[in-house]
Amino acid sequence: MKVRTRVAPSPTGDPHVGTAYIALFNYCFAKQHDGQFILRIEDTDRERSTSESEAQILNSLKWTGLTWDEGPDVGGTHGPYRQSERGDLYAEHAQILLDKGEAFRCFCTSERLDALRKEQMSSGAGKLGYDGHCLSLSPDEITQKLAAQETHVVRLKVPRDGVCKVTDLLRDEIEIAWSEVDMQVLLKSDGMPTYHLANVVDDHHMEITHVIRGEEWINSAPKHLRLYEAFGWEAPILCHLPLLRNPDKSKLSKRKNPTSIHYYQKIGVLPEALLNYLGRMAWSMPNEEEKFSLDEMIEHFNIDRISLGGPIFDVEKLTWLNGRWIRENHDIDQLAQRLMEWALNPKLLKEVLPMLQPRLDRLSDIGKFSSYFLSGHLELNAEQFAHKKLSSEQINQALVWGMWRLDELKAWEAEGISNALRECAVELELKPRDFFAPFYPAITGMKSATPLFDTMAVLGRDLVRARLRDASQVLGGVSKKGEARWKKTYEAGRKQRLEQQAQETN
RNA sequence: GGUCCGUUCGUCUAGGGGUCUAGGACGCCGGCCUCUCACGCCGGUAACACGGGUUCAAAUCCCGUACGGAUCACCA
């Protein structure tokens, strides 16, 4: 049997290094077995999925040097590779389960479920989940409700007792009691499948043999195994990889650590170094060599060499490794070439030059601007932020407010950034001029520079977030307590804003 | 809180009953090289979470505890 693995990102945000990490291991495993690696887009969440995000994920993954044998951009024999284009397949399969009596229709309202949830929480029994209410509906009642076009979902039937044995490639057999497994919604009321249904149906139809994914899925593995069994399909081999962590050991998240592949690209990390570093996460070469190419990794890959403790993503060590790649794998011509591609490429130049042209009296004036367009982090000190009217706490607050507000932004472009930040100024009752003052040193290292919003747009979301965080740090940072207090005010403002928005759209 | 997964230097890791006085790498510290810095080279710092068992012998196997993480959605 041909080994087939896949990575299945959801296009709901910036391309995440965690996606590249999971993709890398799937890729190596497949290639080591002379198999195929597939890219599938899981965009069943219509609310959050965007095609821009999908394009960025594809581009970023390609940038790392990973390639896929089948995918939405390259096609393949098991397509389409976008779940939103596989539409009816899921509804058909939900119907199959309904017919087999392995699933049931549930007409419960979200109000009832919320109430149920609250009750379960307060009773403190520790048992949460659907109570099986609609399981007792008679066929007549169901036909009646269907005729009345009541909205409903389809849920999976799950045994009430016994244990599910999950076989994981890296661990001993994992036992999870069926009573712990919720009667998962398979088909949402909008007719779209949930992850669980779509994932199982697609993995089966795409003939995936090994599911290598993050550890966060262990607890829902029984649902998946149940589905395979209900369909009468053979389940793939499961393998759960340890999660990448923040320095505080929590799951890697953008609030605490830059997670976007764009960010690493922007600070000048070489794709081969990033992939190399990700390969060192939870895995090591048999000879313990730290630096290796993708081909070398495939050649020596052995999934048993994965260690299970969750590795902390250490930017410092990545930087060291990147330095080795720069020094050891490039002569001067090659390095010049890399630099041209990275910084002096027409795309970046064309983005930046319109801002620069009015400010250039001599070509050499480019030097002071390139300092912040080409830098990763800036060297800042508190004096740069001194303001004649505002206290350093106010300045800090402005930066933090901006950082939070910017995180809510769906699209990253100058106008949206401008609007969002202007709203912050209003909320903090500061004149725009005063509010924006600290953003110049934070983003550019200078009191005045190119237009803030265009500059931020070019620098990208993660680098901007990182620089704002640096600046806040220089101003003394935010204590846990202080953050909680600010957060409360911020959230109140946010709520008001959203309500206003809702009114406007109505 | 329930369930599940994990735990070797600050960090990434090697090791999977004796070869462990626990090895390598990042970081940090010191030195060499050198017009400076960096690179490079040399050296130092620092860990088997804890308690019981099994065994002639435990970092390694078993049990418990502690700690960390994940998960408990009509999100993936």
Side-chain angles (χ1 to χ4, degrees):
Chain A
M1 184 175 53
K2 195 98 172 163
V3 167
R4 285 170 62 86
T5 64
R6 47 70 170 178
V7 67
S10 175
T12 54
D14 276 2
H16 199 282
V17 287
T19 307
Y21 159 73
I22 299 288
L24 172 64
F25 281 83
N26 274 281
Y27 180 85
C28 287
F29 186 82
K31 293 304 152 189
Q32 177 208 21
H33 290 97
D34 201 25
Q36 287 149 336
F37 170 63
I38 288 106
L39 180 95
R40 181 173 73 223
I41 296 293
E42 309 229 330
D43 55 353
T44 54
D45 184 348
R46 296 186 314 186
E47 285 280 301
R48 299 195 304 151
S49 299
T50 66
S51 55
E52 299 86 73
S53 170
E54 179 191 310
Q56 288 186 358
I57 288 170
L58 255 56
N59 283 337
S60 292
L61 246 27
K62 266 184 222 158
W63 174 78
T64 65
L66 257 17
T67 53
W68 37 96
D69 300 293
E70 297 169 29
D73 54 339
V74 295
T77 49
H78 296 68
Y81 295 91
R82 220 174 259 120
Q83 290 187 328
S84 58
E85 292 171 11
R86 299 171 69 79
D88 299 339
L89 191 63
Y90 311 112
E92 282 166 25
H93 281 80
Q95 189 58 49
I96 292 173
L97 294 181
L98 245 20
D99 293 343
K100 284 185 157 188
E102 300 281 13
F104 63 99
R105 293 183 203 274
C106 169
F107 297 86
C108 293
T109 59
S110 50
E111 288 77 39
R112 193 187 95 78
L113 294 174
D114 284 347
L116 174 69
R117 200 186 163 68
K118 263 193 193 134
E119 193 188 305
Q120 288 172 332
M121 294 276 253
S122 62
S123 77
K127 282 263 191 286
L128 298 171
Y130 188 64
D131 60 358
H133 182 262
C134 290
L135 222 35
S136 58
L137 254 32
S138 70
D140 282 352
E141 284 172 301
I142 294 171
T143 336
Q144 215 168 58
K145 284 176 182 289
L146 283 178
Q149 298 207 315
E150 279 189 43
T151 59
H152 66 281
V153 300
V154 175
R155 285 180 187 273
L156 177 66
K157 278 191 193 169
V158 170
R160 7 171 82 199
D161 45 36
V163 294
C164 176
K165 292 184 179 175
V166 180
T167 307
D168 182 282
L169 204 52
L170 300 176
R171 290 157 243 264
D172 290 336
E173 202 162 69
I174 300 166
E175 294 194 357
I176 296 173
W178 282 116
S179 58
E180 295 294 328
V181 182
D182 198 15
M183 297 178 212
Q184 181 62 47
V185 170
L186 300 176
L187 214 56
K188 306 180 226 176
S189 55
D190 66 0
M192 289 296 266
T194 57
Y195 167 85
H196 307 278
L197 208 222
N199 194 265
V200 165
V201 167
D202 285 345
D203 280 346
H204 173 74
H205 287 286
M206 294 185 180
E207 300 184 74
I208 301 301
T209 57
H210 299 257
V211 170
I212 303 169
R213 56 174 13 168
E215 204 174 19
E216 76 244 62
W217 294 107
I218 289 183
N219 287 301
S220 41
K223 290 172 191 170
H224 307 149
L225 294 177
R226 181 76 263 279
L227 278 167
Y228 282 104
E229 192 189 35
F231 282 121
W233 296 336
E234 190 187 341
I237 290 164
L238 300 182
C239 175
H240 295 93
L241 260 27
L243 259 20
L244 262 26
R245 314 275 189 103
N246 295 311
D248 70 359
K249 303 229 186 223
S250 56
K251 174 162 120 176
L252 195 64
S253 64
K254 68 177 179 188
R255 284 291 171 105
K256 296 177 180 172
N257 206 72
T259 56
S260 164
I261 296 176
H262 286 147
Y263 167 85
Y264 294 96
Q265 202 169 357
K266 208 79 192 170
I267 63 170
V269 170
L270 265 26
E272 54 270 45
L274 181 61
L275 226 43
N276 182 177
Y277 183 67
L278 290 173
R280 284 289 295 115
M281 297 278 85
W283 191 79
S284 60
M285 278 294 222
N287 67 356
E288 283 204 76
E289 178 54 58
E290 302 259 2
K291 178 165 165 267
F292 47 84
S293 68
L294 182 55
D295 285 342
E296 287 166 326
M297 182 167 172
I298 294 165
E299 186 185 341
H300 297 281
F301 190 69
N302 178 345
I303 204 154
D304 295 329
R305 287 188 66 82
I306 288 176
S307 60
L308 295 176
I312 291 171
F313 193 90
D314 180 8
V315 182
E316 220 160 349
K317 188 152 184 179
L318 166 61
T319 303
W320 163 79
L321 194 57
N322 197 54
R324 282 193 62 184
W325 277 95
I326 289 179
R327 276 174 242 121
E328 296 171 15
N329 293 61
H330 298 80
D331 61 26
I332 293 302
D333 284 341
Q334 291 168 322
L335 187 55
Q337 189 59 38
R338 291 303 286 251
L339 217 43
M340 306 252 273
E341 283 161 15
W342 180 72
L344 307 175
N345 64 72
K347 184 176 170 285
L348 182 65
L349 252 22
K350 276 182 190 161
E351 276 182 307
V352 173
L353 257 17
M355 288 186 255
L356 260 36
Q357 194 174 30
R359 293 171 173 77
L360 294 185
D361 294 321
R362 293 160 297 201
L363 294 179
S364 58
D365 292 334
I366 192 88
K368 78 174 185 190
F369 298 107
S370 63
S371 71
Y372 60 89
F373 276 119
L374 300 185
S375 293
H377 293 241
L378 302 172
E379 281 185 36
L380 302 170
N381 57 65
E383 287 85 75
Q384 290 173 282
F385 293 90
H387 191 277
K388 53 181 190 255
K389 283 195 282 191
L390 304 182
S391 69
S392 79
E393 182 170 348
Q394 281 178 297
I395 293 170
N396 195 353
Q397 188 179 23
L399 293 169
V400 171
W401 235 248
M403 191 162 73
W404 287 343
R405 184 66 182 86
L406 256 18
D407 268 340
E408 289 180 49
L409 234 44
K410 260 198 154 178
W412 189 257
E413 39 75 37
E415 201 188 327
I417 295 170
S418 166
N419 292 338
L421 291 180
R422 283 174 202 282
E423 281 173 21
C424 287
V426 173
E427 229 168 85
L428 291 175
E429 298 178 347
L430 292 174
K431 279 196 203 157
R433 187 186 179 79
D434 293 334
F435 175 82
F436 288 123
F439 285 80
Y440 286 92
I443 299 300
T444 70
M446 308 196 277
K447 282 247 186 248
S448 60
T450 42
L452 187 61
F453 315 123
D454 296 303
T455 304
M456 286 175 138
V458 171
L459 287 173
R461 171 174 242 142
D462 277 59
L463 193 49
V464 165
R465 188 192 297 107
R467 286 189 187 173
L468 290 177
R469 196 191 294 133
D470 286 349
S472 169
Q473 221 46 248
V474 162
L475 292 165
V478 190
S479 67
K480 268 235 156 93
K481 227 171 133 185
E483 172 164 345
R485 206 178 60 232
W486 279 359
K487 197 93 204 177
K488 212 173 147 188
T489 328
Y490 179 85
E491 287 300 331
R494 175 166 185 260
K495 208 176 151 192
Q496 211 170 18
R497 201 170 62 232
L498 293 179
E499 275 169 14
Q500 206 174 345
Q501 253 173 34
Q503 266 178 11
E504 278 165 19
T505 45
N506 280 349

